[in-house]
Amino acid sequence: MEDGLHAFTASASEIYNEYLAIMQAKAARRRGGTSVGELLKKRFGIEPWEWTRLKVVYEAAQAGDEDAAEFVREIDAKQTTVSAAYGQLHRNLQAETDRQNLPKTVRLRAVYDVALRSNGFAETTARAVRLDVPVNTSGMEPDDVADCIVQLRAAGRNMKELADRLSRSQGGT
């Protein structure tokens, strides 16, 4: 390491784009072969453990987290380490969780049970609407109906985001 921060030579976006290319190539040829972490180490000199942390910070930046975007700029400028950025991002998220009174852990079994019930209800209801069963909106204002539609779409996006994050995670506790 020339400056004591990290040994890799490319920017975070270059490494992330290579990761995406590797994942597409792996998907095309199915599983097996050299791990993504090892391939990135060969190409950029980034350690596999360092890559997993960089990926978290980079994806948070891509999702619009301004702190994470600043961390990526600092990593690229070799003003901070990946570990320091990851640790601070984690502390920032923990502080936000505390401020918003969010749960400290997520019980996946409970989420799974709710998802099964919600999906079953949505599937049955959607099938009924497709078959032209009348929709009763009595007691609802037009704004309530419009908000219901917005909430249904938001629930779908939130469920997709949860599923995406779970599929990328290293496992639960």
Side-chain angles (χ1 to χ4, degrees):
M1 294 193 297
E2 60 198 49
D3 65 359
L5 289 175
H6 48 72
F8 57 88
T9 57
S11 71
S13 61
E14 289 174 305
I15 295 170
Y16 192 81
N17 288 334
E18 182 69 14
Y19 155 75
L20 293 176
I22 290 169
M23 293 306 290
Q24 287 177 339
K26 279 183 155 286
R29 67 175 190 271
R30 300 290 175 210
R31 304 220 183 266
T34 308
S35 73
V36 173
E38 289 301 316
L39 291 170
L40 291 173
K41 182 177 181 178
K42 284 180 191 173
R43 175 114 160 81
F44 297 110
I46 186 170
E47 294 295 328
W49 65 265
E50 200 174 20
W51 158 244
T52 58
R53 291 177 178 192
L54 178 61
K55 182 176 181 281
V56 168
V57 174
Y58 189 82
E59 287 180 345
Q62 292 296 305
D65 185 312
E66 292 177 20
D67 290 336
E70 181 60 28
F71 294 146
V72 168
R73 285 190 287 279
E74 289 175 5
I75 291 167
D76 286 345
K78 296 189 181 218
Q79 295 172 341
T80 191
T81 64
V82 171
S83 289
Y86 176 83
Q88 188 59 50
L89 180 64
H90 180 75
R91 286 187 292 278
N92 292 356
L93 292 173
Q94 188 62 48
E96 179 143 347
T97 298
D98 293 344
R99 278 193 308 276
Q100 293 182 5
N101 204 21
L102 295 173
K104 300 288 184 212
T105 61
V106 174
R107 291 185 48 231
L108 191 55
R109 169 50 64 188
V111 171
Y112 180 58
D113 292 342
V114 170
L116 288 174
R117 287 193 308 275
S118 297
N119 189 49
F121 174 77
E123 186 178 340
T124 302
T125 305
R127 187 178 310 126
V129 171
R130 274 194 307 273
L131 295 173
D132 293 326
V133 171
V135 176
N136 183 343
T137 59
S138 64
M140 294 180 76
E141 297 293 325
D143 287 348
D144 295 336
V145 173
D147 188 53
C148 175
I149 293 166
V150 168
Q151 294 302 319
L152 287 169
R153 288 187 176 125
R157 280 191 305 275
N158 290 332
M159 290 291 205
K160 181 185 181 316
E161 180 182 346
L162 175 60
D164 290 348
R165 287 190 180 271
L166 287 173
S167 70
R168 287 192 304 259
S169 73
Q170 299 291 347
T173 54

PDB file of all heavy atoms in Angstrom, residues 82-99:
ATOM      1  N   VAL A  82     -11.707   2.020   3.153  1.00  0.00           N
ATOM      2  CA  VAL A  82     -13.002   1.387   2.943  1.00  0.00           C
ATOM      3  C   VAL A  82     -13.611   1.024   4.300  1.00  0.00           C
ATOM      4  O   VAL A  82     -14.799   1.256   4.544  1.00  0.00           O
ATOM      5  CB  VAL A  82     -12.871   0.144   2.043  1.00  0.00           C
ATOM      6  CG1 VAL A  82     -14.172  -0.636   1.989  1.00  0.00           C
ATOM      7  CG2 VAL A  82     -12.425   0.544   0.641  1.00  0.00           C
ATOM      8  N   SER A  83     -12.784   0.487   5.199  1.00  0.00           N
ATOM      9  CA  SER A  83     -13.287   0.100   6.515  1.00  0.00           C
ATOM     10  C   SER A  83     -13.817   1.287   7.297  1.00  0.00           C
ATOM     11  O   SER A  83     -14.861   1.195   7.946  1.00  0.00           O
ATOM     12  CB  SER A  83     -12.197  -0.594   7.326  1.00  0.00           C
ATOM     13  OG  SER A  83     -11.952  -1.866   6.793  1.00  0.00           O
ATOM     14  N   ALA A  84     -13.107   2.413   7.243  1.00  0.00           N
ATOM     15  CA  ALA A  84     -13.564   3.605   7.965  1.00  0.00           C
ATOM     16  C   ALA A  84     -14.885   4.106   7.382  1.00  0.00           C
ATOM     17  O   ALA A  84     -15.813   4.463   8.122  1.00  0.00           O
ATOM     18  CB  ALA A  84     -12.514   4.704   7.905  1.00  0.00           C
ATOM     19  N   ALA A  85     -14.994   4.125   6.060  1.00  0.00           N
ATOM     20  CA  ALA A  85     -16.226   4.579   5.411  1.00  0.00           C
ATOM     21  C   ALA A  85     -17.382   3.642   5.755  1.00  0.00           C
ATOM     22  O   ALA A  85     -18.485   4.087   6.090  1.00  0.00           O
ATOM     23  CB  ALA A  85     -16.026   4.652   3.899  1.00  0.00           C
ATOM     24  N   TYR A  86     -17.123   2.338   5.683  1.00  0.00           N
ATOM     25  CA  TYR A  86     -18.142   1.341   5.998  1.00  0.00           C
ATOM     26  C   TYR A  86     -18.595   1.478   7.450  1.00  0.00           C
ATOM     27  O   TYR A  86     -19.793   1.474   7.745  1.00  0.00           O
ATOM     28  CB  TYR A  86     -17.580  -0.059   5.743  1.00  0.00           C
ATOM     29  CG  TYR A  86     -18.492  -1.187   6.121  1.00  0.00           C
ATOM     30  CD1 TYR A  86     -19.490  -1.623   5.254  1.00  0.00           C
ATOM     31  CD2 TYR A  86     -18.352  -1.840   7.346  1.00  0.00           C
ATOM     32  CE1 TYR A  86     -20.323  -2.676   5.601  1.00  0.00           C
ATOM     33  CE2 TYR A  86     -19.176  -2.888   7.699  1.00  0.00           C
ATOM     34  CZ  TYR A  86     -20.161  -3.302   6.822  1.00  0.00           C
ATOM     35  OH  TYR A  86     -20.992  -4.337   7.179  1.00  0.00           O
ATOM     36  N   GLY A  87     -17.639   1.624   8.358  1.00  0.00           N
ATOM     37  CA  GLY A  87     -17.965   1.761   9.777  1.00  0.00           C
ATOM     38  C   GLY A  87     -18.788   3.008  10.049  1.00  0.00           C
ATOM     39  O   GLY A  87     -19.768   2.971  10.795  1.00  0.00           O
ATOM     40  N   GLN A  88     -18.404   4.131   9.430  1.00  0.00           N
ATOM     41  CA  GLN A  88     -19.152   5.373   9.647  1.00  0.00           C
ATOM     42  C   GLN A  88     -20.538   5.273   9.029  1.00  0.00           C
ATOM     43  O   GLN A  88     -21.516   5.737   9.619  1.00  0.00           O
ATOM     44  CB  GLN A  88     -18.395   6.574   9.074  1.00  0.00           C
ATOM     45  CG  GLN A  88     -19.029   7.895   9.434  1.00  0.00           C
ATOM     46  CD  GLN A  88     -19.119   8.110  10.941  1.00  0.00           C
ATOM     47  OE1 GLN A  88     -18.141   7.943  11.661  1.00  0.00           O
ATOM     48  NE2 GLN A  88     -20.298   8.464  11.430  1.00  0.00           N
ATOM     49  N   LEU A  89     -20.639   4.667   7.851  1.00  0.00           N
ATOM     50  CA  LEU A  89     -21.955   4.478   7.227  1.00  0.00           C
ATOM     51  C   LEU A  89     -22.837   3.633   8.137  1.00  0.00           C
ATOM     52  O   LEU A  89     -24.010   3.952   8.346  1.00  0.00           O
ATOM     53  CB  LEU A  89     -21.807   3.817   5.856  1.00  0.00           C
ATOM     54  CG  LEU A  89     -23.106   3.566   5.094  1.00  0.00           C
ATOM     55  CD1 LEU A  89     -23.793   4.881   4.742  1.00  0.00           C
ATOM     56  CD2 LEU A  89     -22.838   2.767   3.834  1.00  0.00           C
ATOM     57  N   HIS A  90     -22.265   2.569   8.699  1.00  0.00           N
ATOM     58  CA  HIS A  90     -23.019   1.708   9.615  1.00  0.00           C
ATOM     59  C   HIS A  90     -23.479   2.498  10.841  1.00  0.00           C
ATOM     60  O   HIS A  90     -24.632   2.390  11.258  1.00  0.00           O
ATOM     61  CB  HIS A  90     -22.161   0.510  10.036  1.00  0.00           C
ATOM     62  CG  HIS A  90     -22.863  -0.414  10.975  1.00  0.00           C
ATOM     63  ND1 HIS A  90     -23.841  -1.285  10.563  1.00  0.00           N
ATOM     64  CD2 HIS A  90     -22.760  -0.577  12.314  1.00  0.00           C
ATOM     65  CE1 HIS A  90     -24.303  -1.954  11.603  1.00  0.00           C
ATOM     66  NE2 HIS A  90     -23.654  -1.544  12.685  1.00  0.00           N
ATOM     67  N   ARG A  91     -22.584   3.311  11.406  1.00  0.00           N
ATOM     68  CA  ARG A  91     -22.960   4.138  12.562  1.00  0.00           C
ATOM     69  C   ARG A  91     -24.038   5.148  12.191  1.00  0.00           C
ATOM     70  O   ARG A  91     -24.980   5.377  12.960  1.00  0.00           O
ATOM     71  CB  ARG A  91     -21.730   4.838  13.139  1.00  0.00           C
ATOM     72  CG  ARG A  91     -20.819   3.884  13.913  1.00  0.00           C
ATOM     73  CD  ARG A  91     -19.681   4.613  14.619  1.00  0.00           C
ATOM     74  NE  ARG A  91     -18.720   5.183  13.702  1.00  0.00           N
ATOM     75  CZ  ARG A  91     -17.714   4.520  13.126  1.00  0.00           C
ATOM     76  NH1 ARG A  91     -17.555   3.228  13.374  1.00  0.00           N
ATOM     77  NH2 ARG A  91     -16.880   5.130  12.321  1.00  0.00           N
ATOM     78  N   ASN A  92     -23.934   5.740  10.993  1.00  0.00           N
ATOM     79  CA  ASN A  92     -24.958   6.694  10.535  1.00  0.00           C
ATOM     80  C   ASN A  92     -26.321   6.008  10.406  1.00  0.00           C
ATOM     81  O   ASN A  92     -27.348   6.554  10.816  1.00  0.00           O
ATOM     82  CB  ASN A  92     -24.576   7.308   9.197  1.00  0.00           C
ATOM     83  CG  ASN A  92     -23.380   8.221   9.271  1.00  0.00           C
ATOM     84  OD1 ASN A  92     -22.843   8.490  10.340  1.00  0.00           O
ATOM     85  ND2 ASN A  92     -22.926   8.683   8.114  1.00  0.00           N
ATOM     86  N   LEU A  93     -26.323   4.812   9.822  1.00  0.00           N
ATOM     87  CA  LEU A  93     -27.579   4.075   9.658  1.00  0.00           C
ATOM     88  C   LEU A  93     -28.159   3.668  11.004  1.00  0.00           C
ATOM     89  O   LEU A  93     -29.373   3.710  11.204  1.00  0.00           O
ATOM     90  CB  LEU A  93     -27.369   2.850   8.766  1.00  0.00           C
ATOM     91  CG  LEU A  93     -27.057   3.147   7.299  1.00  0.00           C
ATOM     92  CD1 LEU A  93     -26.703   1.866   6.562  1.00  0.00           C
ATOM     93  CD2 LEU A  93     -28.214   3.863   6.632  1.00  0.00           C
ATOM     94  N   GLN A  94     -27.277   3.285  11.930  1.00  0.00           N
ATOM     95  CA  GLN A  94     -27.734   2.919  13.274  1.00  0.00           C
ATOM     96  C   GLN A  94     -28.353   4.126  13.974  1.00  0.00           C
ATOM     97  O   GLN A  94     -29.395   4.015  14.606  1.00  0.00           O
ATOM     98  CB  GLN A  94     -26.574   2.366  14.101  1.00  0.00           C
ATOM     99  CG  GLN A  94     -27.001   1.797  15.431  1.00  0.00           C
ATOM    100  CD  GLN A  94     -27.941   0.608  15.279  1.00  0.00           C
ATOM    101  OE1 GLN A  94     -27.660  -0.296  14.505  1.00  0.00           O
ATOM    102  NE2 GLN A  94     -29.041   0.608  15.977  1.00  0.00           N
ATOM    103  N   ALA A  95     -27.713   5.279  13.832  1.00  0.00           N
ATOM    104  CA  ALA A  95     -28.255   6.499  14.438  1.00  0.00           C
ATOM    105  C   ALA A  95     -29.605   6.850  13.822  1.00  0.00           C
ATOM    106  O   ALA A  95     -30.532   7.256  14.533  1.00  0.00           O
ATOM    107  CB  ALA A  95     -27.270   7.662  14.265  1.00  0.00           C
ATOM    108  N   GLU A  96     -29.734   6.674  12.514  1.00  0.00           N
ATOM    109  CA  GLU A  96     -31.013   6.947  11.854  1.00  0.00           C
ATOM    110  C   GLU A  96     -32.083   5.965  12.328  1.00  0.00           C
ATOM    111  O   GLU A  96     -33.224   6.342  12.563  1.00  0.00           O
ATOM    112  CB  GLU A  96     -30.868   6.856  10.340  1.00  0.00           C
ATOM    113  CG  GLU A  96     -32.179   7.099   9.637  1.00  0.00           C
ATOM    114  CD  GLU A  96     -32.027   7.872   8.360  1.00  0.00           C
ATOM    115  OE1 GLU A  96     -30.956   8.434   8.116  1.00  0.00           O
ATOM    116  OE2 GLU A  96     -33.003   7.912   7.632  1.00  0.00           O
ATOM    117  N   THR A  97     -31.699   4.707  12.484  1.00  0.00           N
ATOM    118  CA  THR A  97     -32.621   3.700  13.004  1.00  0.00           C
ATOM    119  C   THR A  97     -33.103   4.104  14.392  1.00  0.00           C
ATOM    120  O   THR A  97     -34.291   4.036  14.693  1.00  0.00           O
ATOM    121  CB  THR A  97     -31.936   2.322  13.069  1.00  0.00           C
ATOM    122  OG1 THR A  97     -31.573   1.935  11.748  1.00  0.00           O
ATOM    123  CG2 THR A  97     -32.839   1.272  13.659  1.00  0.00           C
ATOM    124  N   ASP A  98     -32.170   4.557  15.231  1.00  0.00           N
ATOM    125  CA  ASP A  98     -32.531   4.991  16.585  1.00  0.00           C
ATOM    126  C   ASP A  98     -33.473   6.184  16.547  1.00  0.00           C
ATOM    127  O   ASP A  98     -34.451   6.240  17.280  1.00  0.00           O
ATOM    128  CB  ASP A  98     -31.277   5.342  17.393  1.00  0.00           C
ATOM    129  CG  ASP A  98     -30.414   4.120  17.681  1.00  0.00           C
ATOM    130  OD1 ASP A  98     -30.912   2.983  17.533  1.00  0.00           O
ATOM    131  OD2 ASP A  98     -29.240   4.321  18.034  1.00  0.00           O
ATOM    132  N   ARG A  99     -33.172   7.167  15.665  1.00  0.00           N
ATOM    133  CA  ARG A  99     -34.011   8.371  15.563  1.00  0.00           C
ATOM    134  C   ARG A  99     -35.415   8.054  15.072  1.00  0.00           C
ATOM    135  O   ARG A  99     -36.382   8.679  15.476  1.00  0.00           O
ATOM    136  CB  ARG A  99     -33.375   9.391  14.611  1.00  0.00           C
ATOM    137  CG  ARG A  99     -32.300  10.238  15.227  1.00  0.00           C
ATOM    138  CD  ARG A  99     -31.950  11.423  14.348  1.00  0.00           C
ATOM    139  NE  ARG A  99     -31.634  11.103  12.972  1.00  0.00           N
ATOM    140  CZ  ARG A  99     -30.449  10.706  12.529  1.00  0.00           C
ATOM    141  NH1 ARG A  99     -29.447  10.561  13.357  1.00  0.00           N
ATOM    142  NH2 ARG A  99     -30.265  10.446  11.256  1.00  0.00           N
TER     143      ARG A  99
END
